[in-house]
Amino acid sequence: MKKTTTRLADGRELIYYDLRDGAVRDERDHRPLDPVATASEIRHDRLLGDSVAIASHRQARTYHPPADECPLCPSRDGRLSEIPAPDYDVAVFENRFPSLAGDSGRCEVVCFTPDHDASFADLSEEQAALVLEAWTDRTAELSQLPGVEQVFCFENRGAEIGVTLGHPHGQIYAYPFITPRTERMLTSLAAHREATGGNLFDDTVADELADGRRIVLEGEHWVVFVPYAAHWPYEVHLYPKRRVPDLLALDEAARTEFPQIYLEVLRRFDRIFAGRDGGKEQGASRGARAAGAARTPYIAAWHQAPLRAGRREDFALHLELFTIRRTSGKLKFLAGSESGMNVFINDVPPEAAAERLREVASE
């Protein structure tokens, strides 16, 4: 991997990650950009004890542009984008419309491929491994910023999720606090250790392996399962079998196997609503996929240990992947119980979801 760091016309950082050591990234950003003006503010909710980012400047962000005006495509044929190069492997840059900025953290955009009509599931194992390297490198760099307490790498895919740019990409948030979800995990982790002397993450993975009904895929170094109390109709968790606190701590064997496992899981997600035998998706042309056929909307979220306050080496790095689609043509909406009381109601039994994800395995 070769890493090249440069600056955009308004001063934001841009980083290229290339598969070839000989790649040269000396293109300049010739756009007449005004300096980035943000109004990000973190406010603490005294009643719930969590934090809310107020970011009014995001109202002006780019919203569903046509494909020929996509800001995440390479700069070609006289059209200038966020990425000045005419081609790239993986590119990361500071978000022009960040939810978090300055003392309130930082937001970055990760472009997985220059191909506007592709998706992460279309990447080769080599390309997916490069994205993993980019996630790891950005976690290391952002962890050094003053005030950052947690780094969150994630991907939103699909208009149903609320994605406003169709190009395959993800984001990285560097939070100035520990997120509420992580705080709850840390509380459960401590309580389990106090009660049993064991590690909650290790015991959860061991229990799923012993039960077997919710296992979707198992490799030598990773295991994928639908959790016992899944919140979403189709939700899987990916764990390295050797517990590590964050992406930086993954060993070479786990890094090598991850693209194989993750790409297979993503492709199964694209097949679960494509007919009982998955044939519709397997037989679909690239053109049909480009038009969005059978693509399942999802959120993929890396959970890493906090950096300083609350840092726990017994935390387990894992990736949670879920879709808001509950069956073909129907979405799972967060209504009164979920949004009002944070009590989820799942219409699909986790065992049935796991069985379906096993049925659509690649041949």
Side-chain angles (χ1 to χ4, degrees), residues 150-153 179 181-182 185 201 237 239 244-247 300-306 315-322:
Q150 188 171 0
V151 177
F152 176 46
C153 307
T179 63
R181 191 173 178 85
T182 302
M185 289 185 191
F201 292 108
H237 294 187
Y239 276 81
V244 295
D246 52 32
L247 289 166
W302 279 109
H303 291 264
Q304 305 193 77
F315 190 90
L317 167 76
H318 62 285
L319 188 149
E320 298 184 6
L321 172 71
F322 63 88

Side-chain angles (χ1 to χ4, degrees), residues 198-234:
N199 181 280
L200 177 59
F201 292 108
D202 292 349
D203 291 349
T204 297
V205 172
D207 289 346
E208 291 294 351
L209 286 168
D211 183 289
R213 290 175 298 164
R214 292 175 295 276
I215 298 295
V216 173
L217 186 62
E218 183 181 359
E220 183 178 355
H221 303 285
W222 292 85
V223 60
V224 184
F225 58 86
V226 178
Y228 172 76
H231 288 54
W232 300 93
Y234 289 90

